[in-house]
Structure formats: structure tokens, C-alpha cells
Amino acid sequence: MKPARRRRDPEEARGEILDAADHLLAERPPDDVGLADIARGAGVSHALVSHYFGTYVGVVDAVLERRRAAVRARIVARIAKADLVDPDELVDALFDALSDRTFVRLTLWALAAERPSASETFPLHAQGMRIVADAIAERLGDPRAETRRRIEQAMVVAGSAALGYVVARPGWMAALGREPSPAFDRSVRRALGEMLRDFTAPLRPRA
């Protein structure tokens, strides 16, 4: 006899489906997981997963958005405490965020997926980079358009460099004839911080 399915309210059911999907996607690449695996892991029917998320891509996007929100919250919390004229602190926050390997893997999968919405998946839902830029601008207390432009440019440059390094680090180290090491990782962070410091030098918190 099959065990009776436990009754859940909609929010609880949705959360448990996301928990099951997150667990599976942390262990296996997205292309090795399916709706049936997620339903089995959550102890619900395939139809219920489809009801809440529509498609498998919808589940992955929801898992990624939840992880993205957590990453964003950690960065904003650090911004609230940090000296924003010190780019090293922001670079550290960025690399710490990218230490979430599942977040990085799902981000790359979403960006590379061959579907119409793929190019919009990363920034679409909550415009997380705008939220972080708002937090930085508010902390600086400088509403000038030029300040906002520099904040956004610095974020894009730093994010591109950090994501590229995290993803391509093994290949780049091999191409340089070096072994990956924490010391070299720190040197890359310092170099990026120095470049950002030069670029953001005109930004000063108002008294």
C-alpha cells in the first residue's frame, strides 16, 4: 500500500519542492535532473510540481532566484557595514558570493540555455544588481547621475572579472604554467581592488 500523501498548504508545498530541487541541483548538473526526480525528492506528484512551476526550467529558475536573493542579501548586509570607498571589501563580498558553487553553476546554465528567455534569466526577476547599486548610492549619499554611472560600471566590471576568474581559474592557471593557489587568488582580488579604487576615486561620501 502506498503511503498517504501528506497534506500541505500551497506555500509549504512550494517551499518543499524548491528544497528538494535545490538539494538535487547542488549534487548534480541541471541537465542530469528532471521533474520526476524533484517530485520524488519532495514526496509530491509530478503534476503538483508542474502546477507550481510550469516546466523544469521554471523550477531551476526559481531555485536560482532563491539563491540569488540570499547572495544579494548577504552583499547588501555587508555594504551596510562596510566603508564603501574601500573596494577591497566589495571585491571580497563579491568573491564570497561566488563561492556558492551551485549558484555559479545554475547561473551559467541559465545564461547558456538555448531558450528565448535565457539572455534575460539572470537579471530579469528582481533586478538584483539595481538593488545593490541602490544600497551603495544610498550609503554614499550622493544622488548625482555621474556617481550612479560609475557605481554601475564598477559593478559590471568587477562582476565580470570575478565570475570569469571563478569559472576559468583552472584553465587560466594551466595556461600560465602555474598551480592554483590561495596566494594567487588573493593577488587577483588585490589587483581587482586596486583597479576599482582608481576608477572610483572620485566617489566620496558626503559629510
Side-chain angles (χ1 to χ4, degrees):
M1 178 185 300
K2 291 184 178 180
R5 292 190 183 277
R6 181 164 59 85
R7 297 182 67 85
R8 303 168 172 89
D9 64 55
E11 194 62 31
E12 182 184 15
R14 191 177 188 279
E16 290 183 2
I17 292 168
L18 281 179
D19 288 343
D22 190 288
H23 178 74
L24 288 167
L25 292 167
E27 294 185 335
R28 293 152 56 185
D31 289 333
D32 290 348
V33 179
L35 281 180
D37 300 311
I38 294 168
R40 189 179 308 111
V44 301
S45 68
H46 187 293
L48 189 63
V49 179
S50 297
H51 170 73
Y52 284 118
F53 299 99
T55 65
Y56 174 65
V57 168
V59 180
V60 178
D61 283 350
V63 170
L64 176 56
E65 178 56 29
R66 192 169 69 166
R67 281 187 175 259
R68 186 184 300 130
V71 165
R72 182 168 60 244
R74 290 196 298 272
I75 291 176
V76 170
R78 289 185 69 158
I79 288 171
K81 300 176 181 178
D83 177 2
L84 293 183
V85 297
D86 180 6
D88 289 336
E89 172 66 22
L90 298 179
V91 170
D92 283 345
L94 178 58
F95 273 94
D96 287 350
L98 293 175
S99 67
D100 181 342
R101 297 180 64 84
T102 303
F103 170 66
V104 172
R105 184 192 307 126
L106 296 184
T107 296
L108 296 176
W109 183 86
L111 292 173
E114 294 182 358
R115 63 181 194 277
S117 64
S119 62
E120 298 180 341
T121 295
F122 187 64
L124 180 64
H125 302 290
Q127 297 184 353
M129 291 183 71
R130 177 186 59 77
I131 293 171
V132 174
D134 287 346
I136 294 173
E138 181 179 354
R139 184 69 187 273
L140 286 172
D142 186 345
R144 292 177 299 170
E146 171 64 13
T147 297
R148 180 60 179 230
R149 183 183 68 83
R150 281 185 174 267
I151 290 170
E152 292 179 353
Q153 289 175 336
M155 287 176 59
V156 170
V157 170
S160 299
L163 182 60
Y165 183 71
V166 167
V167 173
R169 176 177 177 264
W172 285 346
M173 293 299 97
L176 288 169
R178 302 179 63 104
E179 290 292 330
S181 69
F184 193 82
D185 293 345
R186 289 191 295 270
S187 73
V188 169
R189 292 192 189 201
R190 286 196 301 272
L192 182 56
E194 289 169 5
M195 286 186 271
L196 289 179
R197 183 172 290 105
D198 289 342
F199 182 75
T200 58
L203 305 183
R204 292 290 184 270
R206 293 187 172 183

